[in-house]
Amino acid sequence: MSDSDVPFYRTLGLPELRVHHPTNHFDFTRQGRRILVVGPMGSGKTGFAAQIWRDSRVVRAKDTGIPGCRTADGADLRNVFFVRSRLDSRRFSEYPADALAYRGGYEQLGTSIAEISSSFELEELVAAHPEVGTWIIDEASFYDERMAYVIQRLSSSRGLVFVLPTLILNFRNAVFNTTAQLLLEVTTDVFPLTAYCEHRSCLTDSSHTYRYYLVDGEECPALYFDPLIIVGGDRQVSDGREPNYATRCSRHHVLPGKDYTYLVLKPLGEAAAQGEGDALEEELADLKLRPDRSRLGISITEAYPGTTEREVLIRNALRVPCLAERALSFLFAEQNLISEVLLRRLVRRLQLDTDFLSRRLADNRRPVDFSQEELWTS
Ligand SMILES: [Zn+2]
C-alpha cells in the first residue's frame, strides 16, 4: 500500500484504524536484487516462494514491454525458476517430481524446477536458461560457501533476481554456517518471517529453532554442545538419539549447558590436547554412566533446582542418551581440539557408542571409521 491509500482508510469512519504493512505482490520490475527470506520452520518460507510463482503467472499474461521486466541481455524477471538441493529430494518423495511443496499444498512447476548439489551446478543451470530472470534457491545456506558470491556476481552483472528462502539461525541461535554468514553480507533485501511459538500455551511470534529429544515420551532439551549438524530430522521421532525441532519464542526456548561448554568442557579438551587427558576422561565417564554426578549434572542441578516447569524441563537435558559421545563430537569435529588417535583411545576405553558417534561425525564432515578398531589398538 502506498501512502496515498491511507486517507481512503481514514474515510471509513474509524480514524484510529491501525494500518498494517500488507504482503505485497512480488515486484518483477526491480532488477539485481538478492532477497533473503528468513524464518524458522513453519514460518511459510516455501509458501512465500510459491506465491512468487503464482504472481509470475499473473504478470506473464500482461504486455511484454513493461519497463524493468527485461534485463539488458534478454532475461525476463517474470520467468521464475525454482531450485532445490538434491539432498532434499527424498523429503518430497510423495509429491509429483515437478512439485514445489509447502505446508498446505503444492504448485507444479513443469520444467521450471531442478535439483542441484553445488554452486557450480547453479552456474550451469543459469547458463542453460538465459530467458529466466528470477531464481528461487531453496535453503541456499545448505550449499558451499561459493554460493553467495555466485549469486552476487550473476545478479550484479546480469540484473538477475535471486530469492533465497533459508534457515539462517541454528538451534544455538547462532548464524547457521559460513554460507549463511556470506549470504547475509551479499543480500540486498530481507523478508523476515515468523511462526507461532509451538508451546501449547503460547501464541507469541517466534523465530528460535529449538532442538529436543523424546526420552520415554518426555521432552528433553538438547544441550549447547549437541552436534551442530544432524542430518535428517524432518519428522517427529521418539528414539532419544535422533532430534526433534520446534519453533519457540525466547521465553519457551531453552538451551542448557552453554556456560558449562565454555567453562568446563572446552578447557578439558584443551588440557587433553596438551597431554593432560585424565580429567576429560573422568568427565566423559561420568557423562556416560552417572550424568547427575558429572560436572555438567552438578552445574545444572545447582542452577535449576527443579521447582518450576521450566527448571524441570532444563534438568531433563541430562536424560538425553549419548552425552559423552556428543561432548566428544563437539571437541573433535567442531573445536578441532583432540586428535583422532585420542578420540579412538577414549572411545575404546570408555566403550562409547561408535555407531552413534560415527554418524554424528560424518554429519559434521569429520568422518571416522570405527569398524576396524583393532588396527588402532596399541
Ligand atoms: Zn512461547
PDB file of all heavy atoms in Angstrom, residues 197 199 202 204 249 252, ligand 1:
ATOM      1  N   CYS A 197       4.907 -19.558  18.306  1.00  0.00           N
ATOM      2  CA  CYS A 197       5.610 -20.434  19.241  1.00  0.00           C
ATOM      3  C   CYS A 197       4.805 -21.720  19.364  1.00  0.00           C
ATOM      4  O   CYS A 197       3.577 -21.695  19.477  1.00  0.00           O
ATOM      5  CB  CYS A 197       5.707 -19.738  20.601  1.00  0.00           C
ATOM      6  SG  CYS A 197       6.349 -20.789  21.907  1.00  0.00           S
ATOM      7  N   HIS A 199       4.847 -23.848  21.783  1.00  0.00           N
ATOM      8  CA  HIS A 199       4.450 -24.217  23.141  1.00  0.00           C
ATOM      9  C   HIS A 199       2.924 -24.188  23.243  1.00  0.00           C
ATOM     10  O   HIS A 199       2.275 -23.306  22.691  1.00  0.00           O
ATOM     11  CB  HIS A 199       5.065 -23.234  24.147  1.00  0.00           C
ATOM     12  CG  HIS A 199       4.903 -23.659  25.571  1.00  0.00           C
ATOM     13  ND1 HIS A 199       3.779 -23.367  26.293  1.00  0.00           N
ATOM     14  CD2 HIS A 199       5.716 -24.360  26.392  1.00  0.00           C
ATOM     15  CE1 HIS A 199       3.896 -23.870  27.515  1.00  0.00           C
ATOM     16  NE2 HIS A 199       5.068 -24.482  27.595  1.00  0.00           N
ATOM     17  N   CYS A 202       1.056 -20.786  24.208  1.00  0.00           N
ATOM     18  CA  CYS A 202       1.701 -19.546  23.756  1.00  0.00           C
ATOM     19  C   CYS A 202       1.356 -19.251  22.300  1.00  0.00           C
ATOM     20  O   CYS A 202       1.329 -20.149  21.467  1.00  0.00           O
ATOM     21  CB  CYS A 202       3.216 -19.697  23.915  1.00  0.00           C
ATOM     22  SG  CYS A 202       4.127 -18.205  23.515  1.00  0.00           S
ATOM     23  N   THR A 204       2.909 -16.381  20.852  1.00  0.00           N
ATOM     24  CA  THR A 204       3.868 -15.334  20.507  1.00  0.00           C
ATOM     25  C   THR A 204       4.500 -15.604  19.138  1.00  0.00           C
ATOM     26  O   THR A 204       4.743 -16.755  18.777  1.00  0.00           O
ATOM     27  CB  THR A 204       4.973 -15.292  21.586  1.00  0.00           C
ATOM     28  OG1 THR A 204       4.346 -15.157  22.850  1.00  0.00           O
ATOM     29  CG2 THR A 204       5.922 -14.137  21.359  1.00  0.00           C
ATOM     30  N   CYS A 249       9.350 -19.225  21.097  1.00  0.00           N
ATOM     31  CA  CYS A 249       9.687 -17.846  21.460  1.00  0.00           C
ATOM     32  C   CYS A 249      10.821 -17.894  22.495  1.00  0.00           C
ATOM     33  O   CYS A 249      11.152 -18.957  23.015  1.00  0.00           O
ATOM     34  CB  CYS A 249       8.469 -17.133  22.022  1.00  0.00           C
ATOM     35  SG  CYS A 249       7.981 -17.694  23.655  1.00  0.00           S
ATOM     36  N   HIS A 252      10.054 -19.657  25.797  1.00  0.00           N
ATOM     37  CA  HIS A 252       9.875 -21.118  25.799  1.00  0.00           C
ATOM     38  C   HIS A 252      11.017 -21.857  25.107  1.00  0.00           C
ATOM     39  O   HIS A 252      10.896 -23.043  24.815  1.00  0.00           O
ATOM     40  CB  HIS A 252       8.532 -21.471  25.157  1.00  0.00           C
ATOM     41  CG  HIS A 252       7.369 -21.031  25.993  1.00  0.00           C
ATOM     42  ND1 HIS A 252       6.426 -20.140  25.553  1.00  0.00           N
ATOM     43  CD2 HIS A 252       7.038 -21.335  27.272  1.00  0.00           C
ATOM     44  CE1 HIS A 252       5.543 -19.920  26.518  1.00  0.00           C
ATOM     45  NE2 HIS A 252       5.885 -20.631  27.570  1.00  0.00           N
TER      46      HIS A 252
HETATM   47 ZN    ZN B   1       6.258 -19.153  23.651  1.00  0.00          ZN
END
